Structure formats: C-alpha cells, structure tokens
Amino acid sequence: MHLTETTIQVITIVGLSALIATVLSYCKVPTIVGFIISGLVIGPYGLGAVKNFPGIEVINEIGLSLLMFTVGLEFAYIKIRYLSKSLIGLGLGLIGSVICLVTVVAPWLGLGSWQHCMMMGMVLSLSSSAIVLKLLQQQRELETPHGNSSMGVLLAQDVVFAPMIMLIPFLFGDGSAVSSEPSLKDFSTLSIFLVSCLSLFLFTKFGLGRLFNFILKTRNQELFFFVLIFLFAVIAFGTEALIGSLSLGAFIAGLCFANSPLAKQALSDILPLRDTFLALLFTSVGMLVNISYFVAHFHLLLLATILLLIMKPMILYILGRMLRYSHAVCLTVGLLTFQIGEFSIVLIKELERRGHFSSDSMQFFLSLTVLTMAITPFLQKLIPYFIERTRFMENWQFPHLSTLSQNSSEQQGDNNLFDHTIIVGYGVAGRQLGKVLSTLDISYVALELNYSTVMRAQKDKLPVIFGDAQRGEILHIAGIDSARCVVITIPAIEITANIITAARKIRSHIPVIVRVEYERAINTLKDFKAVECVVSEHESTLQVLAKTLHSYAIDQKTIISHLISIKKIWLDQNKSLPSYLPDILPYLGSESVKNITIHPGSYAEGRTLKDLGLEGLSGVKIIAIQRKFSHPFVPTPEAMLKLHDTIYLHTSDDHLKQIETIVAVGPALVEIGEV
C-alpha cells in the first residue's frame, strides 16, 4: 500500500508540475521559477494535492548530485588551479564575511544572541548551486570569466557545507552527549578519505581508460551508460559515507571523467536524467513553504531580500576588485549568487531538529530561500542593465591581494573554436579531410563513437571527441554555434538524418555536406535544405568509366567531356549534389592535375586560350575551366577567360611556374620554347 501511495504521489507531482510549468512558460516565466511555483500550488500548504512525500529528500539529493557531476565533467584537474582565486578569495571570503557581519550586526538589531545570529549567518552565506549552475549552463556561460568565478564561489560553499553541519553540535550544542573534542574516529575517517582520493586518482589515471576501452568494444551504448552511473554512485555515495557530502562526492566523480575522452559523451548521456531530477528538486523546494505564512510576512521577507541583495553582492564586489577582477565580473558574480541555496534548506532543518530554530524561524528562512531563488532568473536578465548603469565604479581603487592574483587570461574559457568544420565520423574520409584542413590552417573538430579510434587520435593531439552527433549537447560541445559547416562521413543514412535534424534544431541554416552510399538515399534527405550529397555510387561509376576509357587510350579531353556530361545529368536530376569539379579529378589516371585561378590584374583576363598560346604547348593539356556559379566545361582554343576562372590542366611543377607567369604578365615576357 505504501508503494502504491508513493507511486501516486510521484505521478501527481510530475503531472501537475509539468502542467503548471507549461502554462507559466507561455507567460514568459523562467522554467526554474515555474517548478518552484508548481511546488507552492500542489504542496501541503497549497491545494494539498501532495500532502507528504517521504522520498522527496532522496530525489533532491540525487538531483543536486547529478548537477554537480555534470559540472565536474566540464572541469579538468588543471582547471581547479585556475579557480583557486575565486574559490579561496571570493568563495571562502564571502562565507566568512557574511557570517562575521551577521554575527556582529544582527544582535544590535535585536535578532537574538550572537550564537543565534551566527547560525543565521551560516544559512545566509550559502548560495544555490542548482539555480546558478543551471542558468550558466543554459546560457553556455560556464567558460566565461564570470562563469568560472561563480563556479569557484559555489565550490567553496559546497566544500564548507559538510564541516558546517558537523560543527553545529560542537559550536552550539544540542543537549546530547556529544564530545566537544575531535575523536580518534574523526582522524581515521579523514585518513580513509585521503587514501580513497589517492586511490581514485590512480584508478582514473591508469585504470579508467582501459575499463571503458574494454566495455566500448562491445559497441553497446546502454552498457556504457550503466557503468558510468555505477562509478558515479560508488564515488558519490562513498564520499558521503566518509565526510557526509554527497554533492562534493558527485563533483569528484565528475572530475574523474573530465580528463577522459569519454567526458563529452558522458555529459550528453547524463543531462536528461539530471534535468528530470532537478525539476523535482525545484518543485519540492516550493512544497516546503507555508503560503499563509509567506503572505502574512511578505513585507519582512521583501525587506530581508533587499538587504541580502545589497549585502552579498557588495561583499563579493569588494573582494573581487581587491583580487583584480573587472567591474563587470564582480557585479555579475555578486548578483548571480545573492540568493540562499538548497544546502541552506538542509542546514535550516538540521538547526530546527536540534532545537536552535523555532518552527516560525524555520518557515521564515525557507520562505526567504524560495523567494530569493525565484527572483534569481529574472535578476540575471537585468545584469547587463546594472553593469551599464554602474560604469562609474570601474575607476574606483581597491587595495590588491597580490598573493591570490592571477592573470585574467586564466579566467578565460579554452574554447576558441570559430569558423571551423565539424567532421562526423573519423574513418578514412574523416581522417583525410582533417589532414587537408590542418594543412590549410582550417580548424576542425571530429566526432567519433569508436573509442579506440578516439584514443589513437587524442594520443596524436588531434581534435577528436568521443560523442554521438545525434545529441544536441555533443554538437554544442563541438561548437556548432560558430562552425562553418558540418561534414557527415558515416554511411548510415538513418543516423545521418538524425544528425542533420539535431544540427538544424540548433542552427537552422548551417551548411551540411553528407556522404551517402547509394543514389536512392538522396530521397531520405530531400526535405533538408542546404544539404550537399556526395554519392559513393556516383563517384565509383565515374572512376570505372574513366579507367575503362583510359585503357582504350582515349585522350583526356574526351574522358573529361564524358565525365562532365554524366555529372551534369545527375545535377539536373538532383540539385543537392555538389557541382564543383575537383571530385572527378582523381579518376583521370596518373598524370598530375594542376589549377590556376585568374586574379584581378592578370594578363589572361578577357583573353582566349589561343591568345595565351597555352593550346598545343608541349607537356600541357587543358582539361576544363570552372567558372563561378556555373558547371565546369571543356574549353575550345577560342574560350575567353574571365576574372576568378579556374583552369584545370595536366602538367609538371616546372611547367606550371612558367604558365602562371604567362597568365599573370603575358607570353611576350616568357620564353615559350622553354615551356
């Protein structure tokens, strides 16, 4: 019966939350706020659709842990060093400053003893990792200077949270027989934790790759996902058992995978699961608030929110400027992290359980937490306005804390991809395309699901990522927002269609070049615009034809003419086929194929091949001319050359240099007999 009631409650929470959040989304209310309001409405203090759900705390822990795991996946070990300034200077500085300020000032305002005010300071000093990181990830701003700095602040709070919980009985007591001295068990636990971290580091460095290489040889994506979840659970819950922090353990688990080629695919696999649990987390936060109390004390809650909105950003701004952060970064981080977070809810409940907070105090801080969390998404949209309105503060001088200062470049993200090519499939075609692009100094990122191929490529420092291009998250990681085009080299047409669909959801007009095996596959892609198909069946036909005619000693001009005619027929039948000439040149035998382009100011512009004297030269054969926006054609001696025409010909490198001179300055200045 208990299982049935719990199941009904889960269905009720999910269904009503989805309905209410959908309606609010149409009203332009951010999704996070929509789920919080849903919890208010359906909870025990609202409509009462869900009066008690004992498993919700476990779901909340899992949701927050999955969030911290995905954040850890996006951070390499080396990046923690770059976060030291924000983690120590901003994060720990904020926590200490808030606790001290509230402990000193609040008693003067008649808010209780210094011990009670210190507890209030501990609650107020923590921010919401779930809210801030979700907003940063949605806007893809984790790699920005303010994203990295915010991450440092949140990490510091997550690290300090566990000691806060453990120190409550030591600092304030609770009437139980708890010793105030650290026990031998505490030291042994710490020792076990440190040894576990060292073992985990060694396993990550030497065993993780081999384990997943063995698993991925099965080509079973489900097996990869389940092993990923298993390792995440072992590391996260093991850390909780040792030091009482599940979220910190989840972050450590993410760090273990961050330097692995598997990180991007792991991130893509875990995101749907994370978002599901986070939605339940935000809903459960709303369910905790007594709406009657919230309305009756709204004026006090609003005043407390305003004071919090002044205090925490002010502290972070002063600390940030002392650490040589820019005005914009300091203000952004301060406004993003002003709210009270989900760890504060755990702290509030613990203080209430031990008798330090009354039920009214607990309800006040829970209501304040929900209010500040709900305001944050709206406040984020106003941050650019606040930055512009406070530009005068950029010239304010602050004393520098030089020991924690770092170059601003260390706060920058490392994603410099722009105008690059995304190659899907790093087989023969993908590798050759990558080599040519590298030769031409064109950046690229390749996506590949063969783990062995990825490992070999990354060993050679090549930009190859293990990831499924059918997932939008993977395409985002590959930089599709700033890419020039996507090239799909895999032969499976159904997967190709899925990849194009995923790419077009992100960028509706990004050019896509596709390799397909057979002509009939073009019909599958006919509904996609701006897709060029290279048909293997066509290219092999051209090669067979060229080699057959070559065996009969047919001259190259005739072979080229037939190949171009066939290409033109295919192009007329299907406009998505590429119209350029170079794809047929490899089928012309062993002779070298060169090309010369007519540039502005060239002597050849407006003249015929006969005028240049190129026809009939020893060792030179004109194959074709490619004109802008038209099909290539086999020229006659009377063919007139135009600006930007490309001449394809068979000749040697030595002859080519002299022909280039003829095209540029004319035959009168060249000894034609030497050609």
Side-chain angles (χ1 to χ4, degrees):
M1 185 64 182
H2 175 70
L3 179 62
T4 304
E5 290 178 358
T6 302
T7 304
I8 293 173
Q9 288 175 340
V10 171
I11 295 172
T12 303
I13 291 173
V14 172
L16 291 179
S17 298
L19 176 62
I20 296 170
T22 301
V23 173
L24 292 173
S25 294
Y26 277 102
C27 300
K28 305 301 181 184
V29 175
T31 305
I32 293 173
V33 180
F35 282 118
I36 292 175
I37 295 175
S38 300
L40 283 167
V41 174
I42 68 177
Y45 301 107
L47 298 177
V50 178
K51 297 185 182 298
N52 182 32
F53 186 26
I56 196 68
E57 291 184 0
V58 176
I59 291 176
N60 293 349
E61 284 277 359
I62 294 174
L64 187 59
S65 300
L66 289 172
L67 175 67
M68 295 303 295
F69 180 57
T70 58
V71 171
L73 281 171
E74 297 184 281
F75 281 82
Y77 292 124
I78 193 172
K79 201 163 185 182
I80 298 299
R81 179 171 62 87
Y82 295 153
L83 292 176
S84 61
K85 182 169 70 167
S86 58
L87 193 150
I88 299 172
L90 295 182
L92 297 183
L94 173 67
I95 295 168
S97 299
V98 170
I99 293 175
C100 290
L101 187 61
V102 175
T103 303
V104 172
V105 175
W108 290 359
L109 300 176
L111 297 179
S113 65
W114 71 266
Q115 294 96 333
H116 183 77
C117 293
M118 187 176 181
M119 298 176 209
M120 291 168 51
M122 292 167 62
V123 170
L124 298 176
S125 67
L126 302 177
S127 305
S128 173
S129 299
I131 293 281
V132 177
L133 293 178
K134 180 70 173 176
L135 292 173
L136 289 172
Q137 286 182 330
Q138 281 180 342
Q139 300 297 322
R140 292 191 290 280
E141 293 179 352
L142 265 178
E143 297 296 327
T144 61
H146 65 266
N148 281 330
S149 302
S150 300
M151 183 63 216
V153 172
L154 298 171
L155 271 181
Q157 294 172 346
D158 293 343
V159 170
V160 169
F161 169 71
M164 276 186 182
I165 289 286
M166 291 187 287
L167 285 173
I168 288 176
F170 294 96
L171 292 174
F172 312 114
D174 61 351
S176 61
V178 180
S179 173
S180 60
E181 297 294 329
S183 66
L184 184 62
K185 182 180 178 182
D186 295 327
F187 290 111
S188 63
T189 298
L190 179 62
S191 301
I192 294 172
F193 176 67
L194 293 176
V195 171
S196 300
C197 287
L198 177 61
S199 303
L200 189 60
F201 173 77
L202 295 174
F203 168 72
T204 301
K205 190 171 182 63
F206 300 108
L208 186 65
R210 291 183 174 87
L211 171 64
F212 275 102
N213 189 27
F214 176 75
I215 292 170
L216 290 169
K217 282 182 179 179
T218 64
R219 301 295 181 92
N220 189 326
Q221 286 296 111
E222 290 80 7
L223 187 59
F224 166 75
F225 176 75
F226 279 111
V227 173
L228 174 71
I229 291 295
F230 171 75
L231 292 176
F232 156 71
V234 168
I235 298 170
F237 286 101
T239 304
E240 185 194 31
L242 290 172
I243 63 171
S245 178
L246 184 64
S247 61
L248 182 60
F251 180 76
I252 294 173
L255 280 181
C256 293
F257 289 90
N259 288 331
S260 165
L262 306 165
K264 308 306 181 186
Q265 182 62 36
L267 180 64
S268 174
D269 285 346
I270 215 74
L271 282 178
L273 191 62
R274 181 206 68 181
D275 291 341
T276 301
F277 278 96
L278 278 182
L280 291 172
L281 185 153
F282 295 131
T283 303
S284 70
V285 168
M287 292 169 60
L288 296 172
V289 176
N290 186 326
I291 297 179
S292 299
Y293 182 93
F294 185 91
V295 173
H297 297 82
F298 182 74
H299 59 292
L300 293 176
L301 292 170
L302 187 60
L303 177 61
T305 300
I306 294 172
L307 291 175
L308 202 59
L309 188 54
I310 294 172
M311 180 179 65
K312 291 176 77 172
M314 181 183 68
I315 292 172
L316 277 172
Y317 188 86
I318 294 172
L319 291 172
R321 295 303 298 273
M322 292 173 69
L323 291 168
R324 300 185 182 182
Y325 285 96
S326 69
H327 164 73
V329 169
C330 294
L331 194 57
T332 303
V333 175
L335 292 174
L336 275 177
T337 58
F338 95 96
Q339 74 289 125
I340 309 175
E342 53 282 330
F343 283 138
S344 295
I345 296 175
V346 179
L347 195 58
I348 292 166
K349 289 184 174 181
E350 181 68 13
L351 289 168
E352 192 268 343
R353 186 180 69 84
R354 292 180 178 272
H356 299 301
F357 274 7
S358 65
S359 58
D360 279 351
S361 295
M362 183 185 74
Q363 192 57 234
F364 179 84
F365 282 107
L366 286 175
S367 300
L368 185 60
T369 300
V370 169
L371 182 59
T372 55
M373 290 175 74
I375 288 174
T376 304
F378 297 102
L379 188 63
Q380 185 199 32
K381 298 180 185 298
L382 297 175
I383 288 176
Y385 172 82
F386 286 122
I387 292 174
E388 288 301 319
R389 290 291 180 178
T390 55
R391 286 293 182 192
F392 64 91
M393 298 170 62
E394 289 182 325
N395 299 322
W396 289 7
Q397 298 297 318
F398 293 85
H400 289 155
L401 302 176
S402 58
T403 55
L404 286 174
S405 294
Q406 291 171 299
N407 294 330
S408 60
S409 61
E410 289 182 341
Q411 299 299 323
Q412 300 293 338
D414 53 5
N415 187 0
N416 295 317
L417 291 172
F418 180 76
D419 202 34
H420 60 291
T421 297
I422 298 176
I423 303 173
V424 180
Y426 202 65
V428 175
R431 285 196 300 272
Q432 295 305 317
L433 176 58
K435 287 179 182 178
V436 173
L437 292 176
S438 296
T439 302
L440 297 173
D441 291 326
I442 298 174
S443 57
Y444 73 92
V445 173
L447 302 175
E448 173 60 54
L449 278 174
N450 187 317
Y451 184 66
S452 300
T453 300
V454 174
M455 291 297 292
R456 287 195 299 268
Q458 294 197 350
K459 190 177 294 184
D460 295 331
K461 308 297 183 184
L462 297 173
V464 182
I465 296 173
F466 178 84
D468 186 354
Q470 298 176 83
R471 308 290 291 270
E473 297 86 359
I474 293 294
L475 293 174
H476 273 306
I477 291 167
I480 191 171
D481 297 288
S482 59
R484 170 67 67 92
C485 64
V486 177
V487 180
I488 304 174
T489 66
I490 58 176
I493 190 61
E494 293 82 7
I495 295 177
T496 296
N498 292 339
I499 294 171
I500 298 173
T501 300
R504 291 289 167 76
K505 284 182 179 178
I506 303 171
R507 279 184 63 191
S508 58
H509 295 94
I510 187 170
V512 179
I513 301 168
V514 175
R515 167 199 167 194
V516 298
E517 287 292 319
Y518 304 106
E519 184 179 290
R520 63 176 179 270
I522 298 175
N523 292 328
T524 306
L525 306 177
K526 64 182 179 180
D527 294 331
F528 296 105
K529 296 180 180 179
V531 174
E532 290 193 348
C533 297
V534 178
V535 186
S536 299
E537 187 178 33
H538 288 177
E539 307 311 315
S540 59
T541 300
L542 295 175
Q543 184 173 5
V544 169
L545 175 59
K547 290 185 177 296
T548 301
L549 295 180
H550 188 72
S551 69
Y552 283 96
I554 304 296
D555 64 276
Q556 298 293 337
K557 276 191 177 181
T558 303
I559 296 176
I560 284 285
S561 179
H562 284 290
L563 295 182
I564 290 177
S565 298
I566 295 172
K567 290 282 288 184
K568 188 174 185 306
I569 293 171
W570 287 336
L571 284 168
D572 291 338
Q573 291 174 347
N574 196 309
K575 299 299 182 183
S576 68
L577 293 174
S579 59
Y580 42 81
L581 178 67
D583 57 337
I584 66 172
L585 296 180
Y587 310 129
L588 301 179
S590 61
E591 294 184 68
S592 298
V593 177
K594 314 293 181 183
N595 66 80
I596 300 172
T597 301
I598 309 301
H599 297 292
S602 296
Y603 172 84
E605 183 182 355
R607 291 180 168 84
T608 65
L609 292 173
K610 186 176 182 181
D611 294 336
L612 299 179
L614 298 181
E615 282 294 314
L617 293 179
S618 175
V620 178
K621 291 182 180 179
I622 306 297
I623 301 174
I625 292 177
Q626 171 73 62
R627 184 155 291 162
K628 195 174 182 181
F629 304 124
S630 65
H631 298 306
F633 61 92
V634 179
T636 63
E638 288 73 28
M640 183 176 292
L641 298 171
K642 296 182 179 181
L643 184 63
H644 302 308
D645 279 357
T646 299
I647 308 170
Y648 291 93
L649 43 85
H650 283 278
T651 188
S652 65
D653 290 334
D654 292 336
H655 289 156
L656 180 65
K657 292 179 181 178
Q658 298 186 52
I659 296 171
E660 287 176 340
T661 305
I662 293 173
V663 170
V665 300
L669 301 180
V670 181
E671 292 294 335
I672 299 298
E674 295 179 4
V675 178

